[in-house]
Amino acid sequence: MTALITINFSRAACAVQGTSGKRQSLLFIPSNARSASTHARSPWNPVTYTPNLVVRFASGGKGFSNSKTGSKKQGGGKSAVPAGWEKALNVEDFTAAKKILPFSSQKADFIFMLYDVDGDIFCTEAESTAFKFPLSDAEVFKGVNGPAIRVPLDGTSYDLNTGAVIEWCPKDNPIRNLLGSLKAKVDPVPLRVFETKIGGNGDILIRLQTK
């Protein structure tokens, strides 16, 4: 089915007309101020959406700019989803207080972590490689080669452009002394990072293969 749904948060439900001519009814059940779960009275998979989100079930057109590292929002145009990519969030989902957001991929059955660093969008796997600590609480800082993150638990830091380990389990406080000892004979494991694109409407795409 080829369809385009524009979500209106002032209503509890809407309908979409597909190329098959069959009208589908959707019921929206908000879960918080910025996101909700979408349940369709049809065999569609659930879709997670955000305010003013346009959900596309068919790709087409252009309007994205490529970047081998982080991506900045570009000029106007509608967002198309190329093969091997998935539409994640929108740049407007980030706030001054929340610059790191998770995204659960339905295509890849995988959780990504997205970072807004001064308007550049970076994407990594969702957990650290040493102790699988959630990176939603990571500390973002300026590394020697660009933006980097540090894991609060064990202190491991990674380059956001490449995923390379900058420092592996430093022993710089009592808890990290213990954790560092546990990983002393383990080779540093880089973080998986993923290319991003941003469309003119602010939609963020993630390339599902690592860089």
Side-chain angles (χ1 to χ4, degrees), residues 114-133:
L114 291 154
Y115 311 79
D116 179 352
V117 184
D118 298 326
D120 286 320
I121 305 299
F122 297 86
C123 181
T124 73
E125 58 186 300
E127 296 178 332
S128 67
T129 59
F131 292 98
K132 300 299 180 183
F133 188 84

Side-chain angles (χ1 to χ4, degrees), residues 51-63:
N52 302 317
L53 172 65
V54 175
V55 181
R56 296 178 182 275
F57 289 90
S59 63
K62 298 181 179 179

Side-chain angles (χ1 to χ4, degrees), residues 29-71:
I29 306 175
S31 60
N32 57 50
R34 298 195 60 80
S35 65
S37 297
T38 304
H39 300 276
R41 298 179 187 141
S42 72
W44 297 352
N45 290 326
V47 177
T48 299
Y49 64 92
T50 49
N52 302 317
L53 172 65
V54 175
V55 181
R56 296 178 182 275
F57 289 90
S59 63
K62 298 181 179 179
F64 286 99
S65 61
N66 275 312
S67 172
K68 292 184 178 179
T69 56
S71 296

Side-chain angles (χ1 to χ4, degrees), residues 161-179:
N161 281 303
T162 65
V165 174
I166 298 172
E167 188 174 19
W168 181 250
C169 297
K171 299 178 181 180
D172 53 8
N173 66 39
I175 293 177
R176 291 178 180 176
N177 285 342
L178 173 60
L179 296 175

Side-chain angles (χ1 to χ4, degrees), residues 89-90 93-94 98-103 112-115:
L89 306 176
N90 188 282
D93 295 325
F94 294 98
K98 195 63 178 177
K99 294 294 187 180
I100 305 177
L101 295 173
F103 170 69
F112 298 90
M113 201 64 67
L114 291 154
Y115 311 79

Side-chain angles (χ1 to χ4, degrees), residues 3-4 53-66 75-90 107 196-207:
L4 176 64
L53 172 65
V54 175
V55 181
R56 296 178 182 275
F57 289 90
S59 63
K62 298 181 179 179
F64 286 99
S65 61
N66 275 312
K78 294 184 178 180
S79 304
V81 183
W85 295 72
E86 183 173 5
K87 192 270 176 191
L89 306 176
N90 188 282
K107 286 186 177 181
T196 62
K197 293 182 180 182
I198 304 178
N201 59 1
D203 283 347
I204 301 170
L205 294 188
I206 298 172
R207 189 175 186 180

